[in-house]
Structure formats: structure tokens, C-alpha cells
Amino acid sequence: MRDTGEAAAGLAPKLVVEGVSKRYTSSRATVQALDNVSLNVTEGEFVCLIGPSGCGKSTLLDIMAGLTLPDSGRVLADGKLVQGPGRQRLVMFQESALFPWLDAFGNVMFGLKLRPDLTNRERRDIANRFLQLVGLESFKRAHVHELSGGMKQRVALARALAPDPQVLLMDEPFAALDALTRDQLYDDVQRIWRDSRKTIVFVTHNVREAVCLGDRIVLMSPSPGRIAQVFAIPLPRPRDINSPALASHTSGIAAALKGTLRGAVSE
Ligand SMILES: Nc1ncnc2c1ncn2[C@@H]1O[C@H](COP(=O)(O)OP(=O)(O)O)[C@@H](O)[C@H]1O
Ligand SMILES: [Mg+2]
């Protein structure tokens, strides 16, 4: 189950993270959020980053997105140095960060501002298609405050997917949702990933969620943030979050996650 952190042989790496370190300095303290982190993500791969709070998952995701720059090391996307955010790598956050003054359709249209190459008519068609894809076509005129937490995250997903990024970076997107809503979203995300063949990096602290979704799970440990272990998940898809096969994979990884809290995982 354990592998080396290298992307599958023979397939092009979509994202290459090379020796990335990041330190935050405030008046009170200095935190080594990431220390010499390297990781390859293959085109079309679904990689989950897990680890305890504060181990640098969000920092690593933001660096992959180009929202944060590393102190040392670098990220390559399709062989090109990432120096800032771009429409090929979009981020979806835990809090949907939707605009409350826009309806669902307006929020998805806003994401499509990243596509000035399209006509307004084309953007409207795409927005309608992605709202349909996430099952919200009949809520397109609903305002954000009228939507449940799960619906908001569906709109956020449609907004992130509509500009057709090659890489989708998701930072604990379902952490604030109830279990039933989450289970439905796991099915939807697997379906959308299968159909779109996007490259996805998905941050979570929920091992079961990671096993349900990931081709590989990258376990990080804190203080300083490092990759502790990488697990390949060879289960067939679509995966049912409640299946016994999934549970059996979960237990070993959950034990390794606990180990990172004790600093007991070997490097
Ligand atoms: N903007 C920031 N300024 C100062 N410290 C930060 C900042 N962002 C993150 N950190 C610190 O860096 C470490 C890693 O944070 P983060 O990447 O958010 O971890 P995770 O997403 O795994 O919880 C934590 O100790 C956090 O407090
Ligand atoms: Mg985080």
C-alpha cells in the first residue's frame, strides 16, 4: 500500500512540487509550515492530502495554486514554473466564499470572468450546464442565503469547474457539511472527476473521505510540515464511503495519522 510519492511511471506529471519550504514569521513566533516538501501529481490523478491541523496542508495547496510563493523550492505545472494564480489551477475552499448579492447562476457566471475568450452567450450556456451537473438547475435563481450548506458547496464546485481548469485544488470543501450531504457529494465528485478527467488535489483531515476519493493519499506531519507517508489506494471505483473494503484501508492510515500526532512516524 505504501509507495514513494512518485507519480505513476510513464504518465506525465501535471504538477511537480520540488523541495518546497515555507516559513511564517510574526512578532510572536516563527512557524516552519513546510520543510522540503516534494511531490509529483500525475495528469488526471486524484491525490488527497491528509494530516493533523497545522501540518501545512492549506499552505501546500495555496503554493500549488500560486496564491502563496514558497521561500525555497518550486512548483511546476506542465513543466512551467508557477509564479502566481492562473485559471488552469483553481481553488475551492471549505467556506464556499460565494457572493451573497448574486444568485447561484450569477456566482457561476462570476467564475467565468476568467474566460474572456468566450461570448456572454457561451458563458451563460456553460453556467447552466455546470449548475445542471451539480444538480442545481432548478435553484439557479436562488440567492446564497436561500441555499443549504451542501447546495452552497455545489454552487462553489460549479463555479470552480465552469472555467474548465485542468487542475482543481480543494481545501476541505465538505468539512462543514453533515454526513448525509457529504456522502452524496462524494458520489458527485467521483462522477464529475471520472467524466472530466481533471487532476484533483483534495485536502481533508478525514481519512475515510480520503480513501473514498483518492488514487493516492499523502499523509503530512506537523512541526515542521513534511510528507510522512504516501499510500496508494487500489480500490475499484465508484467507491462507497460505507463499504467494508474502504473501512479496511482506512484503519491502517488512521493509525499512521495518529502516529504523526505523536511524532512517531518514521521518515
Ligand atoms: N498567514 C499565516 N501567518 C502565520 N502563520 C500561518 C499562516 N498560515 C498558516 N500559518 C501557520 O502555518 C502552519 C500550517 O498552517 P496550514 O497550512 O493552514 O495547515 P493545515 O491546513 O494543515 O491546518 C500552522 O502552524 C499555521 O498556524
Ligand atoms: Mg487548512
Side-chain angles (χ1 to χ4, degrees):
M1 195 153 66
R2 189 170 173 174
D3 76 11
T4 59
E6 288 298 308
L11 293 173
K14 189 78 190 165
L15 285 176
V16 176
V17 178
E18 275 180 2
V20 160
S21 297
K22 178 74 188 176
R23 176 190 298 223
Y24 294 106
T25 306
S26 70
S27 53
R28 281 183 296 117
T30 296
V31 176
Q32 189 73 41
L34 294 175
D35 180 34
N36 196 20
V37 169
S38 295
L39 176 72
N40 283 3
V41 180
T42 308
E43 180 152 16
E45 195 179 15
F46 201 129
V47 170
C48 292
L49 301 181
I50 63 168
S53 185
C55 72
K57 303 181 296 296
S58 295
T59 301
L60 181 56
L61 201 79
D62 287 353
I63 288 174
M64 287 176 172
L67 295 171
T68 300
L69 292 177
D71 298 334
S72 57
R74 59 183 192 163
V75 176
L76 304 175
D78 289 319
K80 292 194 204 81
L81 186 65
V82 170
Q83 292 176 298
R87 87 151 177 96
Q88 292 304 348
R89 298 177 317 282
L90 296 186
V91 188
M92 178 181 163
F93 297 100
Q94 174 178 344
E95 298 301 335
S96 58
L98 297 177
F99 299 116
W101 60 90
L102 296 174
D103 59 16
F105 181 79
N107 270 282
V108 180
M109 282 294 279
F110 191 91
L112 285 162
K113 280 189 197 260
L114 292 166
R115 295 292 307 274
D117 52 314
L118 301 177
T119 64
N120 203 38
R121 171 74 193 269
E122 286 169 324
R123 285 200 280 265
R124 298 180 78 82
D125 288 348
I126 291 170
N128 279 320
R129 184 149 49 82
F130 279 93
L131 280 169
Q132 194 175 5
L133 187 76
V134 299
L136 284 183
E137 62 273 41
S138 55
F139 287 87
K140 66 184 270 192
R141 290 299 167 205
H143 276 267
V144 171
H145 69 269
E146 297 171 305
L147 300 171
S148 67
M151 286 170 162
K152 284 182 198 160
Q153 288 308 76
R154 285 173 189 277
V155 175
L157 183 60
R159 185 174 67 177
L161 285 167
D164 198 24
Q166 293 172 2
V167 179
L168 191 57
L169 303 164
M170 305 173 80
D171 195 354
E172 306 206 34
F174 308 143
L177 304 178
D178 63 88
L180 197 62
T181 305
R182 276 206 306 262
D183 287 3
Q184 287 167 352
L185 278 158
Y186 299 144
D187 294 344
D188 289 340
V189 166
Q190 289 188 80
R191 172 176 53 83
I192 290 166
W193 174 71
R194 184 197 65 205
D195 293 346
S196 67
R197 304 309 299 174
K198 302 251 175 257
T199 305
I200 298 185
V201 182
F202 186 107
V203 169
T204 176
H205 55 255
N206 179 330
V207 177
R208 194 176 260 269
E209 177 170 285
V211 174
C212 181
L213 297 174
D215 293 319
R216 283 189 302 153
I217 297 180
V218 175
L219 171 63
M220 296 179 65
S221 55
S223 313
R226 289 184 179 151
I227 293 181
Q229 238 174 296
V230 181
F231 302 88
I233 308 297
L235 293 171
R237 294 176 185 275
R239 297 175 187 163
D240 174 1
I241 187 103
N242 296 310
S243 77
L246 203 138
S248 76
H249 273 77
T250 303
S251 55
I253 300 171
L257 173 61
K258 266 194 193 147
T260 63
L261 291 169
R262 293 193 300 270
V265 168
S266 60
E267 287 168 36

